[in-house]
């Protein structure tokens, strides 16, 4: 595989890493900031999501280093709100964008011959899809 192709993969993985860092911050902050009649359910949901995203960030960081890259240290933009519905809407939009990025990253990893990374990305895509679906269901029943 050409060095240029590997550089593009590392660059993309760093974009993903910055977004996972942002997701950890956003979900953890939402868990503390959420108010209203569904606080306990949403607090629990956001805490679990923060933990999942932290795991994704760890895998990405490890892989970037294994490929010879340097992981980013800054998070992508974090969307802050104190409105529970907006928290869910922000999270849904982020999950949808994340799925798209990971599908692209999977394609890049496959082209690079990084079979193990392809499998790991498949697992993350499945996780993010479950997150997306759960958010859709919560918003569907939201008053």
């Amino acid at each position: 595989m050409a060095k240029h192709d590997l550089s593009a993969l590392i660059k993309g993985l760093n974009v993903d890493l910055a977004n996972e860092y942002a997701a950890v911050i956003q979900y953890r902050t939402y868990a503390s900031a959420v108010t209203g009649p569904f606080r306990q359910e949403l607090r629990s949901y956001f805490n679990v999501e923060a933990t999942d995203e932290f795991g994704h960030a760890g895998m990405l960081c490890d892989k970037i280093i294994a490929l010879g890259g340097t992981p980013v240290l800054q998070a992508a933009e974090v969307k802050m709100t104190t409105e529970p519905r907006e928290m869910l809407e922000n999270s849904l939009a982020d999950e949808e964008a994340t799925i798209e990025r990971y599908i692209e990253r999977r394609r890049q990893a496959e082209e690079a011959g990084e079979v193990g990374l392809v499998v790991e990305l498949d697992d993350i895509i499945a996780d993010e899809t479950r997150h997306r679906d759960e958010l859709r269901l919560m918003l569907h029943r939201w008053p």
Side-chain angles (χ1 to χ4, degrees):
M1 171 168 152
K3 181 83 167 165
H4 181 274
D5 294 337
L6 195 56
S7 295
L9 176 59
I10 292 168
K11 182 178 179 180
L13 291 170
N14 265 314
V15 169
D16 300 331
L17 180 58
N19 280 280
E20 292 293 355
Y21 287 156
V24 170
I25 294 166
Q26 186 168 301
Y27 280 134
R28 185 57 213 107
T29 304
Y30 284 0
S32 293
V34 68
T35 60
F38 302 107
R39 174 177 162 68
Q40 288 302 98
E41 178 184 10
L42 292 176
R43 180 177 169 83
S44 176
Y45 175 77
F46 290 135
N47 274 324
V48 168
E49 293 304 299
T51 301
D52 286 351
E53 307 304 1
F54 185 73
H56 298 165
M59 185 284 292
L60 291 167
C61 195
D62 290 346
K63 194 61 178 180
I64 290 164
I65 290 172
L67 293 172
T70 302
V72 298
L73 300 176
Q74 285 78 34
E77 177 186 355
V78 176
K79 301 172 194 161
M80 183 54 194
T81 182
T82 58
E83 296 300 320
R85 181 177 183 87
E86 192 174 350
M87 289 176 180
L88 295 173
E89 290 168 345
N90 288 346
S91 299
L92 177 58
D94 291 344
E95 294 293 351
E96 290 171 342
T98 297
I99 292 166
E100 288 180 30
R101 274 195 320 276
Y102 280 130
I103 290 170
E104 173 61 17
R105 211 67 61 233
R106 185 194 187 286
R107 183 194 62 73
Q108 288 178 313
E110 196 166 45
E111 287 177 2
E114 289 291 330
V115 179
L117 179 56
V118 169
V119 172
E120 289 179 295
L121 289 169
D122 282 341
D123 290 343
I124 291 177
I125 291 167
D127 283 347
E128 301 294 2
T129 300
R130 282 189 294 275
H131 300 169
R132 180 205 61 201
D133 294 347
E134 186 62 28
L135 286 161
R136 285 177 176 171
L137 288 169
M138 283 191 273
L139 281 165
H140 177 72
R141 67 181 189 246
W142 197 262

